[in-house]
Amino acid sequence: MLSRLLKEHQAKQNERKELQEKRRREAINAATCLTEALVDHLNVGVAQAYMNQRKLDHEVKTLQVQAAQFAKQTGQWIGMVENFNQALKEIGDVENWAWSIELDMRTIATALEYVYKGQLQSAPS
């Protein structure tokens, strides 16, 4: 009878150990699934942030290239405007010089005309 009780007790202990081992495996599997689900959920956000960062980096590089091109073009425009201003100044200088020469020529012509008329009046007829 004692041996039968011992065998029943050992059998129940083995069943409990097996049940406990089964539950432990199920708990480990459930924890693994939960961990994988959490990691997958977090990885989606991280992957999206990484993709956004890559897009931003690309946009920044593109913007830098375009800004450099714009600065170069602006420099060229400034040079052209300065050259145009210089040409306008030169035209103004030439116009002023021509006006000054014209005024001098009129003065000389008036003086010559005055001298010529004076010579006509003083000449014997």
Side-chain angles (χ1 to χ4, degrees), residues 1-10:
M1 165 143 179
L2 194 55
S3 136
R4 184 178 57 85
L5 285 174
L6 182 64
K7 285 182 183 178
E8 286 177 10
H9 175 68
Q10 286 176 346

Side-chain angles (χ1 to χ4, degrees), residues 7-82:
K7 285 182 183 178
E8 286 177 10
H9 175 68
Q10 286 176 346
K12 285 183 181 180
Q13 273 187 337
N14 284 339
E15 285 177 22
R16 285 184 192 139
K17 282 182 183 178
E18 287 176 14
L19 182 61
Q20 187 176 10
E21 182 63 28
K22 180 182 175 186
R23 287 180 179 164
R24 187 182 69 79
R25 283 189 300 242
E26 288 174 356
I28 288 173
N29 285 339
T32 302
C33 290
L34 175 64
T35 303
E36 287 177 358
L38 288 173
V39 168
D40 287 346
H41 179 71
L42 291 175
N43 281 342
V44 167
V46 170
Q48 185 64 39
Y50 177 73
M51 291 301 295
N52 289 344
Q53 183 64 38
R54 286 188 60 196
K55 288 178 184 177
L56 285 173
D57 289 343
H58 177 71
E59 291 295 324
V60 165
K61 288 178 184 177
T62 302
L63 182 62
Q64 286 174 338
V65 167
Q66 289 176 348
Q69 288 174 345
F70 181 69
K72 182 179 176 182
Q73 188 176 30
T74 302
Q76 291 173 344
W77 288 344
I78 288 171
M80 289 173 58
V81 168
E82 287 175 355

Side-chain angles (χ1 to χ4, degrees), residues 80-95:
M80 289 173 58
V81 168
E82 287 175 355
N83 289 340
F84 182 70
N85 280 340
Q86 185 62 34
L88 284 177
K89 286 179 185 177
E90 289 173 4
I91 288 173
D93 290 345
V94 168
E95 185 180 6

